[in-house]
Amino acid sequence: MTAIEELAQIAKEVSGCTSCSLHSSRKNAVPGEGPADSSLLFIGEGPGFHENEQGRPFVGAAGKFLEELLASIRLSREQVFICNVVKCRPPGNRDPQPDEIEACRAYLDRQIAAIQPKVIVTLGRFSMARYFGASKISSVHGQAKTVDGRLVVAMFHPAAALHQPDLKQTIKDDFQKLPALIEEVRKLDSAGSKPVPDATQLPMF
Ligand code: URA
Ligand code: SF4
């Protein structure tokens, strides 16, 4: 199966999934979207009101801010893959529960396996926890870590940052680190060195 076919298959399974209780209140499941060969993957938390209405990730206020952040590093949302830890909206935008995250985990695992991104950006605490365990986002935001041969960078959630001036500046600053990081990974890749080095050896960290 090609990456495109696998992503379509995942989207199909997600739209009919009843593996956790979030299925019963969803209007549309939100599998995620973007190029199957994207080198950059963004993982948010879960669909909100607008995402649930439209079946697409990050289409509300947080999405608008994410688009601005991407534009600040000369990227558009069409160039990157965007998805969430849980694919169905938690009622009232409450936090996704551990059992829901666990039930949805295999879909995200399969998306990552299909896309093989070079750099993963986690947005908010729940996607951060996949890679940074119990670390506090206030201490690991803007930092990169090497996991399974790719770089994972933790960022605040754009929705959290949107209305807090300090956090807003912080996430803007953290985004500015991405181009050099992506470039570094590209160089290593074209030099034929498969796994990326320890993140702490990269010049920007
Ligand atoms: N917040 C998220 O975490 N994901 C979305 O898709 C939208 C808002
Ligand atoms: Fe299935 Fe994930 Fe939706 Fe739960 S959130 S019903 S596991 S797709």
Side-chain angles (χ1 to χ4, degrees):
M1 213 178 331
T2 65
I4 291 177
E5 287 166 348
E6 168 69 350
L7 291 171
Q9 174 63 28
I10 295 165
K12 193 173 148 198
E13 290 177 34
V14 159
S15 70
C17 180
T18 56
S19 297
C20 84
S21 62
L22 295 180
H23 85 273
S24 58
S25 50
R26 77 175 169 229
K27 182 164 181 183
N28 290 292
V30 183
E33 63 187 28
D37 60 353
S38 179
S39 50
L40 199 49
L41 169 69
F42 289 85
I43 311 174
E45 182 176 318
F49 175 83
H50 295 283
E51 291 75 22
N52 181 52
E53 291 297 310
Q54 297 181 37
R56 298 182 58 209
F58 283 94
V59 290
K64 193 154 180 292
F65 185 37
L66 179 60
E67 285 175 21
E68 279 173 41
L69 291 164
L70 287 168
S72 78
I73 54 169
R74 296 165 179 275
L75 286 173
S76 66
R77 64 178 289 146
E78 290 78 23
Q79 292 175 286
V80 301
F81 202 94
I82 305 174
C83 66
N84 286 300
V85 164
V86 293
K87 315 301 191 195
C88 303
R89 183 190 185 206
N93 295 350
R94 66 158 169 75
D95 288 349
Q97 300 301 298
D99 61 324
E100 295 158 355
I101 294 172
E102 196 47 43
C104 217
R105 179 179 296 275
Y107 296 124
L108 181 53
D109 290 343
R110 284 168 60 195
Q111 287 174 317
I112 295 168
I115 299 163
Q116 294 286 333
K118 306 257 182 282
V119 178
I120 293 177
V121 177
T122 62
L123 301 170
R125 290 180 288 135
F126 296 97
S127 48
M128 178 195 73
R130 254 182 89 90
Y131 301 102
F132 291 84
S135 307
K136 288 191 84 133
I137 194 157
S138 52
S139 56
V140 299
H141 74 86
Q143 292 183 23
K145 183 176 180 174
T146 309
V147 183
D148 298 335
R150 58 177 59 97
L151 287 183
V152 183
V153 190
M155 306 252 185
F156 282 105
H157 195 289
L162 199 51
H163 304 295
Q164 298 183 58
D166 290 357
L167 287 193
K168 196 168 185 187
Q169 192 54 48
T170 303
I171 194 173
K172 284 182 179 174
D173 294 344
D174 286 346
F175 255 73
Q176 295 308 311
K177 297 176 181 175
L178 285 175
L181 183 55
I182 295 163
E183 183 54 30
E184 196 67 25
V185 171
R186 265 209 193 106
K187 266 196 263 163
L188 287 164
D189 217 46
S190 58
S193 128
K194 269 282 161 208
V196 295
D198 191 284
T200 53
Q201 290 164 20
L202 292 170
M204 65 294 298
F205 288 100

